[in-house]
Amino acid sequence: MLQRHRVGSVVAEFLGTATLALVAIGATKYFNFTAPWYVGLAVGVTLAALVGIIGKASGAHVNPAITVGLLTLRKISPIKSVVYITAQLLGGLTAFMLVEYITNSDIVSAGSSTFDTRIFVAEVMGSAVFAFGVASVVMQKIEGMQAAFTIGTSLFMGVLIASLVAPGFINPAVALANNAWGITTVLAPLMGSVIGMNVYSFFLAPEKSLIISKPKKNKK
């Protein structure tokens, strides 16, 4: 049963990320980045649904940046984080391949070919806001519909902020699915997530959530 749960959590991250990426591709393809609020709403609602569907199985990270952020808070082990990130990137790659197959066309890269500091900062800001919301759910141990609403809304806000000057992926796996893999779309979300989560943890998290329980010693 334990082994089934471990495999299930990896499958959940793979399928969840692929689903989120497919919705992101569909939304951006239809609106061609002319309505960031719609794209943000689409992925926000999708993530909220995923929290309810696979949250119990894996935590519904579906984003390498979120996994890295939780790793810095010691809410996930290094080995598990590597497995999760691998599953998430494979989910994004699968979404990319599926869309190109079913549409019989190439996905045009939405990323910038040159590094732009303003775009990088926007992605960091959007990711930080999103991660801030995720950290609040994790540190306060919020569950159910409230957790789904908080996380989904946080993603919506993060995408809108990042979309001021950037594509607003704030998820390396979704960027990979959109053929926009690069320094900005990978490093900026990672930095933003670490900043957002640790700012929340340091200033706002309940004190009891900061205590890391020690394993109990077996009595002889």
Side-chain angles (χ1 to χ4, degrees):
M1 183 63 70
L2 181 60
Q3 187 67 27
R4 178 177 180 273
H5 173 72
R6 289 178 178 177
V7 174
S9 65
V10 177
V11 172
E13 285 299 307
F14 170 77
L15 294 177
T17 306
T19 301
L20 183 64
L22 286 170
V23 171
I25 294 172
T28 54
K29 188 179 181 66
Y30 184 77
F31 280 90
N32 195 27
F33 294 99
T34 57
W37 67 268
Y38 179 87
V39 177
L41 182 61
V43 295
V45 170
T46 301
L47 183 56
L50 289 173
V51 170
I53 296 169
I54 65 173
K56 291 290 185 180
S58 70
H61 296 191
V62 297
N63 184 337
I66 294 301
T67 300
V68 170
L70 292 174
L71 176 63
T72 64
L73 296 183
R74 300 175 69 178
K75 296 298 182 181
I76 184 174
S77 69
I79 294 177
K80 192 173 183 179
S81 66
V82 171
V83 174
Y84 269 28
I85 290 172
T86 301
Q88 292 156 3
L89 293 178
L90 286 175
L93 181 60
T94 300
F96 168 79
M97 296 172 65
L98 279 173
V99 171
E100 287 206 329
Y101 173 72
I102 62 178
T103 62
N104 195 30
S105 61
D106 296 332
I107 296 178
V108 179
S109 176
S112 175
S113 58
T114 59
F115 180 80
D116 189 319
T117 304
R118 295 175 301 171
I119 295 177
F120 188 90
V121 171
E123 287 281 333
V124 170
M125 290 171 55
S127 300
V129 169
F130 172 42
F132 196 83
V134 174
S136 72
V137 170
V138 173
M139 303 301 280
Q140 295 185 59
K141 297 182 179 180
I142 300 173
E143 298 180 345
M145 292 186 64
Q146 184 180 356
F149 176 81
T150 302
I151 292 176
T153 304
S154 296
L155 178 58
F156 174 57
M157 293 188 296
V159 169
L160 286 187
I161 292 172
S163 297
L164 289 172
V165 294
F169 295 120
I170 62 176
N171 184 332
V174 171
L176 176 62
N178 279 272
N179 194 21
W181 186 264
I183 294 177
T184 297
T185 56
V186 174
L187 186 57
L190 295 178
M191 288 181 59
S193 180
V194 171
I195 292 171
M197 289 201 180
N198 283 273
V199 167
Y200 184 89
S201 176
F202 188 81
F203 292 105
L204 300 175
E207 290 188 9
K208 61 181 180 180
S209 67
L210 302 176
I211 300 175
I212 299 175
S213 59
K214 296 180 180 180
K216 297 181 179 179
K217 295 182 179 180
N218 294 326
K219 294 182 180 181
K220 295 183 179 179

